[in-house]
Amino acid sequence: MSKLKNVVHRDEELVFLDSFIDKDNQPDLKPNNVIIQGYQSCGKTYVVEEYFKQQKNEILSCIINHKEIFSWKNLLKEISRASLQTLRLKFSNYKVSNIIDPSGTEHFYLLVRFFSQLFSDCGQQIDEAARYSFYVVIDKIDQLPEIDVNTFPKLIKLHEILPSNLKFKLKFIYTVENVSFIDKYASYDIPTIVFPRYTADECLQILLSKKCLFKASSQFNEKLVDEIGIKDTVPRVKNQIVEAFLHFVYEAFYLYTGSNLQDLLDMAFLKWPQFVQILNNDNYANEVDMYKQSIDLWKNTQDYLEENIPGNNKLESQYDLSDLSKYLLVASYLCSYLQPKYDSKVFAKKSALRQGRVSYGRRAKFDFNPRHLSPGIFPLERLLAIFQAIYPYSDRDRNYTDEEKDDINNKHFSGLIPNTSNVEVYEAIGELISSKLLLPSKFLHASPLNSNTKWKVNVPWEIILEISSSLHFDITEYLQ
Amino acid sequence: MTTKRKYTNTSTTTVDTTPLQNNKKPKNFNEKYIEELRIKLLEKNKEIPLYLLDSFNQVDTILKQTVITKENHSAILVGPRANYKTLSIETSLNNLKQKYNDQFIVIKLNGIIHTEESAISSMATQLELQLQKLRGDSFSLYFEEELAEREKALDKNSEAVNLDYKLNNGSLIDIFQRFLQIMNYKSTDTRHKREKVSMVFIFDEIDSFAGPVRQTLLYNLFDMVEGSQISFCIIGCTTKINIMEFLEKRVKSRFSNRIIYFPKPANYKEFTDSVFHLLKIKDATNEAEQCWNQKLFEQINISCSPLNNLIKKNFDSTKDIRKFFNLFQVVFTKYTFPSFQISDLSLIEKFDKNRLKSGLTSRVKSLSDLELSILIAAARVSIKTNDNVNFNLVYDEYSSLLTSINASIPSVFGGMDIDKTYKKWNKQDIKNVWENLLDLNFLVEKGALGIRESALQAFVASNYHTIQSSVSFDLRNLNVLVTLQELRRIIPSSSLLYQWTTL
């Protein structure tokens, strides 16, 4: 087998793949199912695509892209649709019989019927002795949603149930990411080719092989021609700059992305426009100067959502909560991370907030920062009590309607929440629950009215810190 | 433990073997011969191995008796997965097809593909297609009278609509009655005067049809066989050794109770014999084939030859001859075969080792230093907290490990103030690394079930959120699937991270 020109570092795997694929139109001699396993960004799909591309039209094949699949029924339809299309291209004078409708293949037995019909119809147009393999490549079968344990065996067994006298043999190639998926079906004896993760050196070489993508960027070329004054016809300089840039990317971010080549390439694309801006007449010929002047690019990844969203950068503002809800959230955080037995001391209104051991009694030092552990659960009453304790009174001077006054004068709440009605508090709690900032302990859709339901906060420390600082509330005072 | 065995190699008696034994280089044979040999070897994937010949013969006999002498039979083939059950049936039917092609119809069903309802529909479709082929007439011919009646009732009624409808309509008994009607059909028209055909039903994964709730399909099928005039053969395949316990009493009493076992090879000798016969070319006609047989014979008689090592390895681990043959397919290609020698199985061994490249060790070795340090931190946290790992704790551990190692590095070196400390990545960046480790299966969410058992469970899992999936990223509880001890064994002791692998 000749090497594929666009594929590097996959020679051995290609030899194995080649040995399981029927190129000579003798379908009985080659296996009906082949698995290609490899973790993310190992070039599985790419290699298979390139392989079939190289064979041109000699092997009949179609590829099912996993991104288009949302359930196994949809997978079956997609298989039949893609197969029909491939065969139509191959046999241009083939007329689809009325019975064949790819969108009707919602079950496996209908898929069997579909292929029996399709293959027998197409078979009438070819020589009596001719036999073909028809390959369906299913990409990332283990990652498809709604796949249950029996879906894969059904596909494996599909060829057995098709009539044996057909001139086409249905064969599958599956790409799989997760090893445990294959282990479940080990006894089916399906030939498996493993694509190992790329080593560091291989990553660099593959990255360098993509340099034409960067050389072609219009921003780069304009910069070179307009500002630096290099003619477009000097490929050596361009080459040098791009190679130096890719080396910087690799050196700075290989640790971060690991062997995930797609991530590394994404980083390169992210940094490239900024790097081009730094280029000038003085530094373009010297790698060290280029590096020194672009040092900020290599110090951090800039790979965060907040940095790449225009406008608001504060995490806290993304939640857009009202002050009341924020106080409730802070109160629920305190509920989850403070022990109830110290509540009376910590939140006592009679005395000022006491600090240090006096507030919580003698205890051993924690092995771990409790804020790093999962939140504790608490009843809703405790949340309300702590909320009342921390909610500032001074901010609440406003005029109330008669209804609100009635509500405030309600005997349960009179004197407890002097300036706001309980309706608003409940609304705010409802908001926190529906935005999943407050979670029930057991069932996801538990009712807040059920007194047995316990709750826990679902906000990490960094975010609660930002939220409390926006309220000018020092939460660290309570959590020492 | 292995002793040198002697095989009687009949096919090589006419060849002068002395030069072959001495000559280590592959002899240049005619390309055509080599290609023929390659194809013959590839065709061996359809050959029943020696140790299963008894079982195969039993299947062959009952099929022959059904097709040729028109007897009724039923049997269930029991054996491990991928152990030549279906192939035995296929081989036997293919042999029969050559001589008695127009005397039988095969209907294939698979318990995991078909439900009872869809099985009926599939039977009808298969029957229709095959009858059309066999008799060259339209399906509706068998229902001329009924069709005529229906046409009277409904003004326009197309045949196409009726085909499926007619067979599937009504209770199971009605449907099977129609099957019989079709099979027994004798037209007054001389064109259709033909022999009776036999029916072969093949049920793969028959245990799925023998479920806990009323096994109506099997019952009706077996019942039909009992009283029918035409000959039936019902063959089931299963991996369940206790299949008889699955069958209802009424089904069992109608079933012949014939179980044909497809065992694994009983002993090493049987396995080696099967391998030898699998790779040997029967009736070698040209010198390339004879040479192949000769070399195979030599290699199998040397106890420590690469071939024997491969056989031993397979026998000790899986006893799986199909897996063994899969390995050999790598060399039976146009590209590799001409230079292949049975005494040098390096390519096959490479392929055998290829599957290990996604193993734990290879995965750990493929990690970058940052990923590895996070993994070590996770493994440390796992020990410290009794397997209660989350991202926050791991990042904390990573920071403290890095701080302690940086503290030990002098900041002044040779009179110069140089920062030689290791970079501490921030928490946001480490989140990406953490996700990579999750993708690589080093970490699994607590309570994650993996692939679901049924379609409904799979639907629920991918469409409804659980509390676990709503918990924020930093605090999600995870299990680390690699221990610190294992990491210590994999990481070279020269590595900087090696010192972190002890608490």
Side-chain angles (χ1 to χ4, degrees):
Chain A
M1 203 206 83
S2 63
K3 262 180 88 171
L4 300 182
K5 64 174 182 189
N6 294 333
V7 177
V8 282
H9 298 302
R10 284 287 175 246
D11 302 342
E12 202 177 275
E13 289 76 16
L14 269 171
V15 171
F16 300 149
L17 181 67
D18 192 53
S19 59
F20 291 117
I21 289 185
D22 168 35
K23 289 199 293 191
D24 311 326
N25 296 329
Q26 290 171 315
D28 286 338
L29 303 184
K30 297 288 168 133
N32 295 298
N33 298 288
V34 177
I35 297 175
I36 296 175
Q37 192 275 332
Y39 282 96
Q40 212 177 7
S41 196
C42 281
K44 306 176 291 294
T45 317
Y46 180 72
V47 168
V48 175
E49 273 174 353
E50 288 293 317
Y51 179 85
F52 281 116
K53 236 184 249 172
Q54 194 208 28
Q55 310 300 330
K56 285 162 192 147
N57 283 331
E58 285 167 25
I59 304 180
L60 292 166
S61 68
C62 58
I63 295 185
I64 312 292
N65 187 349
H66 81 287
K67 285 175 189 154
E68 293 166 11
I69 308 298
F70 50 84
S71 76
W72 61 269
K73 285 190 178 179
N74 169 237
L75 170 72
L76 302 188
K77 285 182 196 172
E78 192 55 29
I79 292 174
S80 44
R81 192 198 58 76
S83 313
L84 182 63
Q85 202 176 11
T86 312
L87 283 174
R88 261 188 195 160
L89 285 174
K90 175 81 180 171
F91 306 101
S92 48
N93 54 347
Y94 166 63
K95 282 181 189 134
V96 188
S97 74
N98 292 330
I99 305 165
I100 296 179
D101 176 15
S103 60
T105 51
E106 280 203 333
H107 291 278
F108 278 90
Y109 76 95
L110 293 173
L111 190 70
V112 173
R113 193 180 290 178
F114 171 84
F115 273 115
S116 317
Q117 184 81 43
L118 180 70
F119 287 165
S120 80
D121 280 6
C122 288
Q124 287 168 4
Q125 305 197 17
I126 56 174
D127 293 345
E128 194 54 43
R131 293 285 182 275
Y132 291 102
S133 295
F134 186 86
Y135 280 96
V136 179
V137 182
I138 302 181
D139 192 18
K140 292 186 188 163
I141 189 163
D142 59 326
Q143 307 290 318
L144 299 182
E146 292 181 30
I147 295 291
D148 63 275
V149 91
N150 273 336
T151 314
F152 190 54
K154 282 175 187 166
L155 287 169
I156 296 173
K157 294 269 181 180
L158 214 56
H159 71 274
E160 281 181 6
I161 211 145
L162 287 170
S164 51
N165 54 4
L166 294 173
K167 288 173 187 165
F168 295 89
K169 278 268 182 231
L170 183 64
K171 294 181 186 245
F172 285 102
I173 298 175
Y174 314 91
T175 69
V176 174
E177 277 189 5
N178 202 335
V179 181
S180 63
F181 181 83
I182 305 177
D183 291 347
K184 273 200 162 56
Y185 306 103
S187 59
Y188 286 91
D189 281 357
I190 302 169
T192 307
I193 304 162
V194 173
F195 278 43
R197 299 188 80 212
Y198 291 114
T199 60
D201 290 342
E202 287 170 351
C203 279
L204 178 62
Q205 283 181 31
I206 296 169
L207 196 64
L208 288 175
S209 73
K210 305 272 179 196
K211 60 186 170 199
C212 52
L213 297 173
F214 298 90
K215 277 196 279 186
S217 102
S218 57
Q219 191 198 357
F220 177 50
N221 286 319
E222 281 168 20
K223 180 100 180 176
L224 282 185
V225 177
D226 299 344
E227 283 185 37
I228 305 175
I230 299 171
K231 282 179 190 167
D232 204 23
T233 48
V234 188
R236 191 179 52 83
V237 181
K238 272 168 107 178
N239 227 11
Q240 230 171 357
I241 296 173
V242 173
E243 271 189 20
F245 166 75
L246 291 174
H247 269 104
F248 297 156
V249 171
Y250 166 77
E251 293 291 343
F253 299 117
Y254 176 72
L255 275 181
Y256 169 66
T257 61
S259 294
N260 194 329
L261 211 71
Q262 199 56 48
D263 281 2
L264 203 56
L265 212 56
D266 283 346
M267 286 308 295
F269 284 126
L270 187 71
K271 301 286 179 185
W272 180 239
Q274 300 170 48
F275 181 77
V276 169
Q277 280 187 349
I278 289 164
L279 286 178
N280 60 35
N281 239 333
D282 302 327
N283 66 9
Y284 81 91
N286 189 334
E287 276 191 27
V288 180
D289 286 348
M290 268 195 281
Y291 181 74
K292 278 183 179 167
Q293 288 176 25
S294 60
I295 190 82
D296 286 343
L297 290 182
W298 319 120
K299 274 186 171 171
N300 69 62
T301 54
Q302 298 171 312
D303 201 9
Y304 319 130
L305 194 61
E306 302 100 74
E307 289 205 17
N308 297 311
I309 292 176
N312 282 336
N313 276 350
K314 284 270 177 194
L315 259 180
E316 167 265 319
S317 63
Q318 286 166 26
Y319 286 94
D320 280 334
L321 294 171
S322 67
D323 278 3
L324 183 70
S325 309
K326 282 180 186 170
Y327 271 109
L328 271 168
L329 198 59
V330 170
S332 54
Y333 194 87
L334 291 172
C335 287
S336 271
Y337 286 96
L338 284 180
Q339 290 195 32
K341 59 181 174 183
Y342 304 120
D343 278 359
S344 59
K345 285 181 179 166
V346 175
F347 299 106
K349 289 205 179 96
K350 286 177 188 166
S351 56
L353 189 69
R354 278 182 264 175
Q355 288 194 345
R357 199 186 287 161
V358 186
S359 61
Y360 49 75
R362 186 176 290 273
R363 67 175 174 199
K365 189 175 179 277
F366 287 122
D367 288 341
F368 299 99
N369 185 345
R371 289 194 295 278
H372 291 161
L373 299 172
S374 308
I377 54 173
F378 54 85
L380 211 56
E381 285 79 11
R382 187 169 165 231
L383 168 64
L384 290 170
I386 291 184
F387 166 70
Q388 285 158 24
I390 63 168
Y391 195 64
Y393 290 85
S394 55
D395 299 351
R396 297 175 233 156
D397 295 327
R398 64 181 175 106
N399 295 321
Y400 290 98
T401 60
D402 291 344
E403 287 87 355
E404 277 176 330
K405 275 181 190 159
D406 287 348
D407 206 9
I408 291 162
N409 292 333
N410 179 317
K411 65 175 177 183
H412 288 296
F413 290 95
S414 61
L416 293 179
I417 313 174
N419 281 342
T420 191
S421 70
N422 53 346
V423 174
E424 285 164 352
V425 175
Y426 286 147
E427 274 175 1
I429 291 176
E431 188 191 358
L432 293 182
I433 292 171
S434 61
S435 53
K436 302 269 187 294
L437 296 171
L438 204 57
L439 280 183
S441 59
K442 279 181 190 162
F443 307 106
L444 194 58
H445 300 292
S447 161
L449 296 176
N450 187 347
S451 59
N452 289 333
T453 313
K454 299 278 193 290
W455 301 86
K456 60 181 177 188
V457 72
N458 189 27
V459 182
W461 172 242
E462 287 82 1
I463 293 175
I464 207 75
L465 211 55
E466 277 193 53
I467 287 175
S468 60
S469 67
S470 76
L471 292 169
H472 307 294
F473 178 85
D474 189 9
I475 194 172
T476 48
E477 235 179 29
Y478 292 85
L479 297 158
Q480 286 176 353
Chain B
M1 159 188 164
T2 33
T3 50
K4 207 173 172 184
R5 281 176 309 282
K6 294 288 172 197
Y7 288 89
T8 46
N9 195 348
T10 48
S11 59
T12 52
T13 43
T14 52
V15 189
D16 180 16
T17 55
T18 21
L20 288 171
Q21 283 165 354
N22 298 333
N23 189 6
K24 294 287 175 196
K25 285 181 186 171
K27 196 176 166 184
N28 289 329
F29 294 111
N30 190 335
E31 275 180 23
K32 193 182 136 211
Y33 287 164
I34 290 182
E35 184 58 15
E36 273 177 18
L37 171 62
R38 188 179 77 85
I39 300 291
K40 275 189 181 174
L41 284 168
L42 276 173
E43 278 170 353
K44 293 271 188 173
N45 74 343
K46 300 276 175 199
E47 194 175 294
I48 308 294
L50 206 59
Y51 68 93
L52 286 174
L53 276 184
D54 277 352
S55 311
F56 169 72
N57 286 338
Q58 287 184 50
V59 177
D60 197 41
T61 311
I62 60 169
L63 280 170
K64 273 182 186 157
Q65 283 171 347
T66 309
V67 174
I68 302 169
T69 55
K70 307 287 176 202
E71 292 173 15
N72 277 351
H73 282 288
S74 54
I76 294 181
L77 317 188
V78 181
R81 233 174 248 303
N83 202 25
Y84 296 90
K85 298 187 292 294
T86 312
L87 186 68
S88 299
I89 301 170
E90 287 285 335
T91 312
S92 176
L93 287 175
N94 281 340
N95 293 341
L96 283 168
K97 242 176 220 169
Q98 288 168 0
K99 213 171 173 187
Y100 308 97
N101 192 20
D102 54 349
Q103 292 190 25
F104 66 98
I105 282 175
V106 183
I107 290 179
K108 294 178 190 169
L109 295 169
N110 188 317
I112 52 172
I113 292 178
H114 295 103
T115 56
E116 282 205 354
E117 275 173 28
S118 63
I120 305 286
S121 165
S122 277
M123 276 184 196
T125 321
Q126 291 183 44
L127 191 63
E128 178 199 349
L129 275 172
Q130 297 196 41
L131 274 178
Q132 259 178 4
K133 212 165 204 176
L134 206 65
R135 294 179 172 171
D137 45 33
S138 168
F139 207 48
S140 57
L141 186 76
Y142 307 110
F143 302 108
E144 271 170 346
E145 288 171 17
E146 279 186 51
L147 259 180
E149 279 174 27
R150 285 181 61 82
E151 269 175 26
K152 271 180 203 170
L154 301 161
D155 288 335
K156 286 178 182 175
N157 207 345
S158 67
E159 285 178 13
V161 177
N162 275 317
L163 295 180
D164 221 25
Y165 174 77
K166 286 211 100 24
L167 266 178
N168 291 335
N169 200 17
S171 69
L172 260 176
I173 302 167
D174 295 341
I175 293 161
F176 281 122
Q177 275 304 312
R178 285 199 201 101
F179 274 12
L180 291 178
Q181 197 183 339
I182 295 165
M183 302 307 295
N184 280 328
Y185 179 76
K186 283 178 187 168
S187 171
T188 45
D189 189 345
T190 46
R191 277 189 304 134
H192 302 292
K193 223 171 197 174
R194 291 178 189 99
E195 279 185 77
K196 275 184 194 172
V197 291
S198 315
M199 282 186 89
V200 179
F201 282 90
I202 300 169
F203 287 88
D204 206 352
E205 315 282 346
I206 198 169
D207 47 288
S208 303
F209 292 113
V213 189
R214 301 177 67 210
Q215 302 160 357
T216 25
L217 181 76
L218 290 183
Y219 167 69
N220 280 302
L221 197 65
F222 283 123
D223 200 45
M224 176 174 80
V225 175
E226 273 197 338
S228 118
Q229 291 174 347
I230 56 166
S231 63
F232 277 89
C233 180
I234 300 169
I235 300 186
C237 297
T238 182
T239 52
K240 307 264 189 305
I241 215 156
N242 56 345
I243 180 69
M244 290 309 282
E245 291 168 18
F246 285 62
L247 298 177
E248 269 178 21
K249 203 174 167 191
R250 57 178 187 158
V251 177
K252 215 186 273 180
S253 66
R254 283 164 176 80
F255 171 56
S256 70
N257 286 328
R258 187 203 289 249
I259 301 274
I260 303 172
Y261 285 106
F262 275 68
K264 289 244 175 184
N267 51 43
Y268 185 64
K269 186 175 181 316
E270 203 174 70
F271 189 69
T272 326
D273 287 351
S274 299
V275 169
F276 181 65
H277 277 88
L278 187 75
L279 294 176
K280 196 180 95 175
I281 302 291
K282 272 179 209 147
D283 310 322
T285 48
N286 57 49
E287 55 178 5
E289 288 170 7
Q290 286 162 353
C291 177
W292 168 267
N293 280 352
Q294 175 61 31
K295 291 210 164 178
L296 178 71
F297 176 69
E298 279 169 23
Q299 287 298 312
I300 217 146
N301 273 324
I302 302 170
S303 62
C304 288
S305 65
L307 180 66
N308 262 326
N309 288 342
L310 215 59
I311 296 173
K312 262 179 243 165
K313 194 177 164 191
N314 188 302
F315 183 80
D316 289 342
S317 54
T318 50
K319 279 194 196 177
D320 195 333
I321 206 157
R322 192 167 276 202
K323 203 165 251 169
F324 185 84
F325 191 79
N326 277 348
L327 292 178
F328 268 82
Q329 281 202 326
V330 177
V331 287
F332 294 160
T333 62
K334 264 186 186 166
Y335 173 64
T336 48
F337 191 66
S339 59
F340 170 68
Q341 287 189 75
I342 191 108
S343 54
D344 173 26
L345 303 181
S346 54
L347 188 64
I348 293 177
E349 281 157 7
K350 257 187 198 168
F351 180 60
D352 198 26
K353 279 181 187 152
N354 171 267
R355 72 198 159 88
L356 302 177
K357 287 185 180 169
S358 273
L360 182 76
T361 315
S362 318
R363 259 184 293 155
V364 171
K365 282 181 179 166
S366 76
L367 295 177
S368 72
D369 280 356
L370 179 63
E371 288 171 322
L372 191 57
S373 47
I374 298 295
L375 186 63
I376 293 173
R380 289 172 70 97
V381 170
S382 170
I383 295 178
K384 285 182 183 174
T385 61
N386 285 333
D387 223 6
N388 198 9
V389 180
N390 67 35
F391 175 70
N392 272 336
L393 291 172
V394 172
Y395 185 75
D396 222 29
E397 180 76 18
Y398 161 75
S399 318
S400 62
L401 283 172
L402 209 65
T403 315
S404 66
I405 210 165
N406 278 343
S408 65
I409 296 171
S411 57
V412 180
F413 189 74
M416 283 161 67
D417 197 8
I418 295 174
D419 183 18
K420 281 204 163 235
T421 53
Y422 291 95
K423 178 180 175 181
K424 187 171 153 189
W425 292 73
N426 65 32
K427 203 167 180 179
Q428 288 278 40
D429 287 333
I430 298 296
K431 280 187 183 176
N432 238 13
V433 175
W434 189 247
E435 277 187 350
N436 270 351
L437 292 177
L438 273 167
D439 277 344
L440 287 170
N441 291 121
F442 286 118
L443 301 157
V444 179
E445 269 188 33
K446 265 198 177 163
L449 292 173
I451 192 162
R452 299 299 200 275
E453 284 297 323
S454 75
L456 182 69
Q457 284 170 342
F459 175 78
V460 171
S462 48
N463 289 290
Y464 294 94
H465 296 289
T466 56
I467 289 194
Q468 178 70 4
S469 66
S470 314
V471 171
S472 67
F473 185 83
D474 308 13
L475 294 172
R476 215 167 277 182
N477 262 341
L478 299 159
N479 282 342
V480 186
L481 299 187
V482 55
T483 61
L484 202 59
Q485 197 61 37
E486 282 168 325
L487 287 173
R488 192 176 173 78
R489 256 181 278 153
I490 298 167
I491 299 169
S493 53
S494 57
S495 164
L496 179 78
L497 303 175
Y498 185 72
Q499 54 179 303
W500 291 358
T501 52
T502 45
L503 281 181

